[in-house]
Coordinates of all heavy atoms in Angstrom, one line a residue:
G1 N 8.7 -0.6 -0.2 CA 7.9 -1.6 -0.9 C 6.5 -1.6 -0.1 O 5.5 -1.8 -0.9
G2 N 6.4 -1.7 1.1 CA 5.2 -1.6 1.9 C 4.3 -0.5 1.6 O 3.1 -0.5 1.3
L3 N 5.0 0.8 1.4 CA 4.3 2.0 1.1 C 3.7 1.9 -0.3 O 2.5 2.3 -0.7 CB 5.3 3.2 1.2 CG 4.7 4.5 0.7 CD1 3.4 5.0 1.6 CD2 5.8 5.5 0.8
A4 N 4.4 1.4 -1.3 CA 3.9 1.3 -2.7 C 2.7 0.3 -2.7 O 1.7 0.7 -3.3 CB 5.1 0.8 -3.6
G5 N 2.8 -0.8 -2.1 CA 1.7 -1.8 -2.3 C 0.5 -1.3 -1.6 O -0.6 -1.4 -2.3
A6 N 0.5 -0.7 -0.4 CA -0.7 -0.3 0.3 C -1.2 1.0 -0.4 O -2.5 1.2 -0.5 CB -0.3 0.1 1.7
S7 N -0.4 1.8 -1.1 CA -0.8 3.0 -1.7 C -1.7 2.6 -3.0 O -2.7 3.3 -3.3 CB 0.4 3.9 -2.1 OG 1.0 4.4 -0.9
S8 N -1.3 1.6 -3.7 CA -1.9 1.1 -4.8 C -3.4 0.6 -4.5 O -4.3 1.0 -5.1 CB -1.2 -0.1 -5.5 OG 0.0 0.5 -6.1
T9 N -3.4 -0.1 -3.3 CA -4.8 -0.5 -2.9 C -5.7 0.6 -2.5 O -6.9 0.7 -2.7 CB -4.6 -1.6 -1.8 OG1 -3.8 -2.6 -2.1 CG2 -5.9 -2.1 -1.3
L10 N -5.0 1.6 -1.7 CA -5.9 2.7 -1.4 C -6.2 3.6 -2.5 O -7.3 4.2 -2.5 CB -5.0 3.6 -0.3 CG -5.8 4.6 0.4 CD1 -7.1 4.1 1.2 CD2 -4.8 5.3 1.5
A11 N -5.3 3.7 -3.6 CA -5.7 4.4 -4.8 C -6.9 3.9 -5.5 O -7.8 4.6 -5.9 CB -4.5 4.5 -5.7
A12 N -7.0 2.5 -5.5 CA -8.2 1.9 -6.2 C -9.4 2.3 -5.4 O -10.5 2.6 -6.0 CB -8.0 0.4 -6.2
T13 N -9.4 2.2 -4.0 CA -10.5 2.7 -3.2 C -11.0 4.0 -3.6 O -12.2 4.4 -3.7 CB -10.2 2.5 -1.8 OG1 -9.8 1.1 -1.5 CG2 -11.4 2.9 -0.9
A14 N -9.9 5.0 -3.6 CA -10.2 6.3 -4.0 C -10.8 6.5 -5.3 O -11.8 7.3 -5.5 CB -8.9 7.2 -3.9
D15 N -10.3 5.7 -6.2 CA -11.0 5.8 -7.6 C -12.5 5.3 -7.7 O -13.3 6.0 -8.2 CB -10.3 4.9 -8.5 CG -9.3 5.6 -9.6 OD1 -9.5 6.9 -9.6 OD2 -8.5 5.1 -10.3
L16 N -12.7 4.2 -6.9 CA -14.1 3.7 -6.9 C -15.0 4.6 -6.1 O -16.2 4.4 -6.3 CB -14.0 2.3 -6.2 CG -13.3 1.3 -7.0 CD1 -13.2 0.0 -6.3 CD2 -14.0 0.9 -8.4
T17 N -14.5 5.4 -5.3 CA -15.4 6.3 -4.5 C -15.4 7.7 -5.0 O -16.0 8.7 -4.3 CB -15.0 6.2 -2.9 OG1 -13.6 6.6 -2.9 CG2 -15.3 4.9 -2.4
G18 N -14.9 8.0 -6.1 CA -14.9 9.3 -6.7 C -14.1 10.3 -6.0 O -14.5 11.4 -5.9
R19 N -12.9 9.9 -5.7 CA -11.9 10.9 -5.2 C -10.7 11.0 -6.2 O -9.7 10.5 -5.9 CB -11.5 10.4 -3.9 CG -12.7 10.5 -2.8 CD -12.1 10.1 -1.4 NE -13.1 10.3 -0.4 CZ -14.1 9.5 0.0 NH1 -14.4 8.4 -0.9 NH2 -15.1 9.8 0.9
P20 N -10.7 11.8 -7.3 CA -9.6 11.7 -8.2 C -8.4 12.3 -7.7 O -7.3 11.8 -8.1 CB -10.3 12.5 -9.4 CG -11.3 13.4 -8.7 CD -11.9 12.5 -7.7
G21 N -8.4 13.3 -6.9 CA -7.2 13.9 -6.3 C -6.4 12.9 -5.5 O -5.2 12.8 -5.6
L22 N -7.1 12.2 -4.7 CA -6.5 11.4 -3.6 C -5.9 10.1 -4.5 O -4.7 9.7 -4.2 CB -7.5 10.9 -2.7 CG -7.0 9.7 -1.7 CD1 -6.0 10.2 -0.8 CD2 -8.2 9.2 -0.9
A23 N -6.7 9.6 -5.5 CA -6.2 8.5 -6.3 C -5.0 8.9 -7.1 O -4.0 8.1 -7.1 CB -7.3 8.1 -7.3
R24 N -5.0 10.1 -7.7 CA -3.9 10.5 -8.5 C -2.5 10.6 -7.6 O -1.5 10.1 -8.0 CB -4.1 11.9 -9.1 CG -2.9 12.3 -10.1 CD -3.5 13.4 -11.0 NE -4.0 14.5 -10.2 CZ -5.3 14.9 -10.2 NH1 -6.1 14.2 -10.8 NH2 -5.7 15.8 -9.3
G25 N -2.7 11.3 -6.5 CA -1.6 11.5 -5.5 C -1.0 10.1 -5.1 O 0.2 9.8 -5.1
L26 N -1.9 9.0 -4.7 CA -1.4 7.8 -4.2 C -0.8 6.9 -5.3 O 0.2 6.2 -5.2 CB -2.6 7.0 -3.7 CG -3.1 7.6 -2.3 CD1 -4.4 6.8 -1.9 CD2 -2.1 7.2 -1.3
K27 N -1.5 7.0 -6.6 CA -0.8 6.3 -7.7 C 0.7 6.9 -8.0 O 1.6 6.0 -8.3 CB -1.7 6.5 -8.9 CG -2.9 5.7 -8.8 CD -3.8 6.0 -10.1 CE -5.2 5.4 -9.9 NZ -6.1 5.7 -11.1

């Protein structure tokens, strides 16, 4: 549960900073 929640927040950061590979893997 902790991994899921933090991964979603980090994925949004990756999306906003133009890192599609990182965002896709975290989502």
Side-chain angles (χ1 to χ4, degrees):
L3 174 61
S7 293
S8 292
T9 302
L10 190 56
T13 302
D15 254 351
L16 294 174
T17 55
R19 293 176 168 86
L22 177 61
R24 184 168 53 252
L26 286 169
K27 291 175 187 178

